[in-house]
Amino acid sequence: MTTVASTRPARRPAPVRTARGRPPRSDRRAGLLLSTPFLVVYLLFLGGPLLMGIVLSFFNTTTVKDGLGDWVGVSNYTQVLRDSLFWDAMWHSVLFTLITTPLLVVLALLFAVLASRIRRGRVFYRLAFFAPYVVPSSVVALIFLWMYTPQVGLLPKLFGAVGLPVPDFIGSTSGGWTAVVLMTLWWTFGFNFVLYTAAIQDVPPDVYEAAAIDGASPWQQIRLITVPLLRPTTGLVLILQILASLKVFDQIYLLLGGGPDQSTRPVIEYIYDTGFTSYRGGYGAAATMVYFVIIVAISTAWYVLRRRSATPAAPRTAA
């Protein structure tokens, strides 16, 4: 077995802790002071609206009149759970998540590994892959709407030039999902790419050097070293992507408006339509709370699974 002397800097000394394993009081006080501004902003802009939404969900509130309206109890929740349009919109959000999440995780990992392996132009490729993520959703929607427009768009002309049937990206359900998925991949791919790139940079280079000296090919290094060491990052990317995909709204609303015939309308657009188009504020708040509970349940399940996988198994005792 070949051994290679590590060239990494020495580890920093461990932080001082008290006998009970807690940081010193001065460190705890500094941490509390530093986190106070975030806690204040969190309570004002997240905790406050959440409480207001819970209150509104129990009233027949409209967005065109002042006041909460009449008390209706859980009637709004009952209507939401019995509304087939709500569950259709929920399925559209889940379908979008099932299609985009594997692609955005696997492609981000693949391109991050390839970008870390090239010798020249590494910074250029990293910027090129991340740049679309900072473009506003309205601009991205305009670009892709021009590309998808029948007869005058870029993609219909390309399909026509090579003699292939031109897909109806805007007027059909299958074409609409294809259009939204392609647009989402191009637009949001860079965020996961940056997370994987940062994680790859934390892998000690001497590990690859030792593997190369031992005769490991680049593919073996990626399969046996890079991918296993990136497992925690993959778990983080996966849950962030699932939550982001479940909250899809911008691209479908701007590109398709939920059409054709509401066949692509996600649940966030359903809430927007009921609350701001139909002026049913209380009903929209109840739908929001139902969806909020689903999101929290998914996050909690991921957290529990992550804790269980991180807990080392108890050693077996000899018989």
Side-chain angles (χ1 to χ4, degrees), residues 106-129:
V106 173
L107 291 178
L109 173 61
L110 175 63
F111 281 89
V113 171
L114 294 178
S116 67
R117 290 269 167 177
I118 61 176
R119 297 182 180 275
R120 294 182 179 179
R122 184 179 301 175
V123 176
F124 168 77
Y125 285 108
R126 289 175 178 174
L127 289 176
F129 288 141

Side-chain angles (χ1 to χ4, degrees), residues 10-40:
R11 293 179 178 271
R12 294 182 179 180
V16 178
R17 294 182 178 272
T18 61
R20 296 181 178 179
R22 302 176 61 185
R25 178 176 298 179
S26 59
D27 290 353
R28 297 201 302 269
R29 187 180 305 166
L32 181 61
L33 291 176
L34 291 174
S35 60
T36 297
F38 171 76
L39 292 176
V40 172

Side-chain angles (χ1 to χ4, degrees), residues 17-96:
R17 294 182 178 272
T18 61
R20 296 181 178 179
R22 302 176 61 185
R25 178 176 298 179
S26 59
D27 290 353
R28 297 201 302 269
R29 187 180 305 166
L32 181 61
L33 291 176
L34 291 174
S35 60
T36 297
F38 171 76
L39 292 176
V40 172
V41 173
Y42 181 85
L43 291 176
L44 286 177
F45 293 98
L46 292 178
L50 176 61
L51 293 177
M52 181 61 70
I54 294 175
V55 173
L56 291 178
S57 66
F58 293 102
F59 288 87
N60 188 20
T61 306
T62 65
T63 54
V64 293
K65 293 182 180 179
D66 295 333
L68 293 175
D70 299 329
W71 168 267
V72 295
V74 296
S75 175
N76 286 330
Y77 288 96
T78 304
Q79 294 182 38
V80 169
L81 297 177
R82 292 178 178 177
D83 190 356
S84 61
L85 294 179
F86 173 79
W87 294 111
D88 289 343
M90 180 70 73
W91 165 243
H92 297 156
S93 296
V94 173
L95 178 61
F96 176 82

